[in-house]
Amino acid sequence: MRSVEEALKTVLDSTKVLGTERIAIQDAHGRVLAEDVSSGLFHPPWDNSAMDGFAVKWDDIKNASKENGVRLRIVGDVRAGIMPDKPVNKGEAIRIMTGAPVPDGSDTVVRVEDTKGEGDSVNIFYAGEKGENVRHKGENIKKGDIVLTKGSVLNAAHIGVMAMVGKPVVTAYRRPKVMVLATGDELADLDEEITENKIPNSNGYTVAAQVIEAGGIPHLLGIARDNKESLREKIGEGLHGDMLLVSGGVSVGMYDFVKDILKEYGIDMKFWTVGLRPGHPIAFGLVGDKPIFGLPGNPVSTMVTFEVFARPAILKMSGHTSLSRPLVDAVCEEEFRTRPGRTNYVRAVTRYKEGKYFVKSTGDQGSGILISMSRANSFMVLPPDKEKVLQGEVVKVQLFVGDIDYL
Ligand code: AMP
Ligand code: MG
């Protein structure tokens, strides 16, 4: 049977990075940078003060001490946003605020705490070192410096840096538009009545939310019924995006026509089963360059197959190169049996205590039990030969999010 690793390699080898677009930096959080960003400015733009205090000539104050103050004449003041209108001459000081440009003639700023003002003069009680409390022009960033490199996943600091270097618009990789289709005669959508022969379409909504989490743009196509005409129409619509995710109708039931219709649309089918539990029937192929996934209909199987295969594909299309959730070693808190033969993704809660992760399952692992998925913050990932996990055994855990309970 095709392993999860082999299948994922096939998916990623077949998935291409999308093109780029120009976006405002305030819309760029989480996006992948498609260019190197160089600075259009010096930062700081001029020598400026790191403290509220007095701009002086260090030569004047180099002998100052707590006991022997040096008296200087205050000839003006300068604050942030104002350029100084006069220099500091010998025997003079200019009162200066944090961030204000250091006047010509001055090389050092003495903190206000190390001085005592007396009318239009000031007594300096500390010499320190020449240049103290002066931040020099361009000491952080020089004009033309590369400040961010292509491929960076833009976080808050990156966005601040772009604002700082005068880069309001940036080139990023496009987010894929992901078409989401549910299939089944038994499904009723949110605006429909749930009659006795119907169940709510939940997969459409879970998958759309997973797409958002992966950074894609979901487009809900609603429900296709289990007949070829309906599937033909909806799948045809679904080929207008960058990726199509169909849930249900890919196993071997009499009304599972999804694969037949995808073949009509010329799909190059790469695989339709994987050694994964839950999520054994999962179809993957390409129509042109477009990745198409037929995800199994059971709500947890849908989510797991999305996590394992569609999420990394969406990330790759969006320009990401780190495609995996964090994988950690965790101590299993309970004895646990699994059915061997496939890689098992066990819904689990992981917590952190005194340098170690601890994990336990969220209960019944039936592939239709979405509620046990909703209580999970992680999967235990158990290899195909694993039949039993002992209490205290160390297992691999894939974390869904960065936030976790510290005990
Ligand atoms: P299928 O893969 O179409 O054989 O569906 C497997 C199971 O998942 C069946 O019990 C379906 O009723 C259920 N199912 C399929 N699609 C959905 C959906 N969109 N929302 C909730 N359950 C679904
Ligand atoms: Mg079905």
Side-chain angles (χ1 to χ4, degrees):
M1 204 180 327
R2 184 177 291 92
S3 71
V4 168
E5 293 76 17
E6 285 163 343
L8 180 58
K9 181 169 183 337
T10 302
V11 168
L12 294 177
D13 286 349
S14 324
T15 305
K16 296 206 164 48
V17 181
L18 297 176
T20 62
E21 62 185 345
R22 301 275 293 159
I23 55 172
I25 60 169
Q26 54 270 49
D27 299 326
H29 187 263
R31 299 290 291 272
V32 181
L33 196 57
E35 60 174 335
D36 288 344
V37 173
S38 62
S39 178
L41 304 169
F42 285 89
H43 192 273
W46 4 258
D47 292 1
N48 73 97
S49 177
M51 292 285 170
D52 293 332
F54 290 89
V56 300
K57 285 183 178 299
W58 187 71
D59 263 354
D60 285 349
I61 63 149
K62 64 185 176 199
N63 297 320
S65 66
K66 265 207 169 85
E67 300 72 35
N68 294 306
V70 171
R71 185 177 296 272
L72 299 173
R73 199 155 59 83
I74 302 172
V75 296
D77 63 50
V78 54
R79 54 197 164 95
I82 306 286
M83 294 313 281
D85 58 358
K86 58 166 85 78
V88 174
N89 296 309
K90 193 165 170 32
E92 294 177 353
I94 287 183
R95 191 179 276 114
I96 191 165
M97 314 302 147
T98 304
V102 174
D104 286 346
S106 160
D107 52 21
T108 302
V109 171
V110 182
R111 297 186 312 159
V112 77
E113 293 88 335
D114 295 320
T115 67
K116 190 159 190 279
E118 283 162 16
D120 59 2
S121 71
V122 59
N123 237 335
I124 309 277
F125 296 105
Y126 172 80
E129 297 193 5
K130 187 171 180 171
E132 208 160 305
N133 300 322
V134 176
R135 301 186 288 210
H136 290 283
K137 174 178 177 174
E139 74 176 26
N140 299 334
I141 302 168
K142 293 189 180 42
K143 194 169 173 173
D145 280 357
I146 302 287
V147 288
L148 300 176
T149 50
K150 183 174 169 173
S152 305
V153 181
L154 295 172
N155 62 23
H158 295 136
I159 288 170
V161 166
M162 290 191 285
M164 184 174 267
V165 301
K167 180 90 181 170
V169 178
V170 76
T171 308
Y173 291 101
R174 232 164 36 72
R175 302 162 66 195
K177 179 176 182 185
V178 181
M179 312 300 267
V180 178
L181 177 62
T183 71
D185 283 340
E186 76 280 30
L187 301 179
D189 224 326
L190 292 182
D191 55 353
E192 287 175 74
E193 195 186 341
I194 309 292
T195 52
E196 59 175 10
N197 56 342
K198 297 280 186 184
I199 61 159
N201 164 24
S202 57
N203 291 348
Y205 300 94
T206 2
V207 170
Q210 286 181 291
V211 169
I212 292 172
E213 217 195 317
I217 305 165
H219 179 88
L220 281 165
L221 295 165
I223 298 166
R225 298 305 170 186
D226 291 322
N227 62 72
K228 291 194 171 180
E229 296 69 41
S230 175
L231 283 165
R232 198 173 285 127
E233 183 202 323
K234 288 288 194 183
I235 287 176
E237 245 185 274
L239 295 176
H240 292 295
D242 298 306
M243 177 189 277
L244 170 61
L245 301 175
V246 183
S247 90
V250 288
S251 42
V252 291
M254 280 181 63
Y255 299 96
D256 291 331
F257 300 127
V258 169
K259 279 181 279 181
D260 297 342
I261 301 300
L262 288 172
K263 279 184 194 140
E264 283 185 20
Y265 280 105
I267 191 166
D268 172 13
M269 195 66 97
K270 302 286 189 188
F271 59 78
W272 48 91
T273 52
V274 175
L276 171 64
R277 177 178 296 114
H280 176 245
I282 160 157
F284 170 73
L286 299 169
V287 173
D289 266 357
K290 237 172 269 238
I292 316 286
F293 290 89
L295 309 176
N298 272 311
V300 179
S301 309
T302 313
M303 285 197 78
V304 170
T305 47
F306 178 97
E307 266 293 316
V308 176
F309 299 112
R311 180 175 188 276
I314 290 173
L315 291 175
K316 179 167 180 192
M317 292 169 91
S318 325
H320 290 262
T321 50
S322 301
L323 306 181
S324 182
R325 301 274 201 191
L327 204 59
V328 299
D329 287 332
V331 178
C332 192
E333 293 183 274
E334 61 192 353
E335 182 168 313
F336 192 81
R337 280 193 170 279
T338 61
R339 272 196 290 158
R342 303 188 210 151
T343 304
N344 263 291
Y345 277 69
V346 178
R347 283 146 262 171
V349 175
T350 301
R351 294 169 300 167
Y352 185 85
K353 188 179 182 180
E354 291 162 6
K356 277 189 191 157
Y357 289 103
F358 291 87
V359 64
K360 58 178 176 226
S361 91
T362 58
D364 198 336
Q365 296 288 316
S367 61
I369 306 173
L370 192 58
I371 207 81
S372 63
M373 183 73 197
S374 75
R375 296 188 183 121
N377 67 353
S378 51
F379 289 126
M380 276 189 246
V381 183
L382 305 177
D385 58 359
K386 195 99 211 147
E387 267 182 80
K388 191 176 175 185
V389 178
L390 301 172
Q391 190 178 5
E393 192 175 333
V394 174
V395 293
K396 289 279 176 227
V397 164
Q398 196 173 60
L399 300 172
F400 296 165
V401 288
D403 301 327
I404 196 164
D405 278 350
Y406 275 47
L407 300 179

